[in-house]
Amino acid sequence: MAWVVLVVSGLLEAVWATALNASQGFTRLWPSVVFGVSLVLSMGGLAFALRTVALGTGYAVWVAIGVVGTALVGAFLFGEGFSAAKAACLALIVAGVVGLKLLH
């Protein structure tokens, strides 16, 4: 159960990072609300998961899901561009986290 919560929390990290960008410095109400709610849920889920998942592995998984998710949202929804080099870098992040999980 902790791993499911951790993955959902990582996805919520991508949500709050995207909402933070969309809030334009907290000048837009609904993106700011989405930011706050998703941030609290993401951190709460991380805290729950870390009760049973090792800190280093759990935090790395949470951050990696957020990083990869946010990078993909930026590339495909906000036109930040996507290249083979970016894909390779994101794959390296995923590979590193998979390695940590396997060694856990």
Side-chain angles (χ1 to χ4, degrees), residues 3-91:
W3 283 101
V4 172
V5 172
L6 184 62
V7 169
V8 171
S9 297
L11 293 171
L12 286 169
E13 182 186 4
V15 170
W16 68 251
T18 303
L20 180 61
N21 180 61
S23 77
Q24 297 177 355
F26 300 115
T27 61
R28 297 180 61 215
L29 176 63
W30 291 112
S32 299
V33 170
V34 170
F35 165 78
V37 171
S38 58
L39 177 69
V40 168
L41 292 173
S42 179
M43 292 289 178
L46 176 63
F48 173 82
L50 291 180
R51 294 188 327 193
T52 55
V53 176
L55 172 63
T57 303
Y59 186 70
V61 168
W62 181 76
V63 169
I65 292 169
V67 167
V68 172
T70 303
L72 293 175
V73 167
F76 295 110
L77 294 183
F78 294 107
E80 294 177 359
F82 196 76
S83 64
K86 280 188 177 182
C89 290
L90 293 175

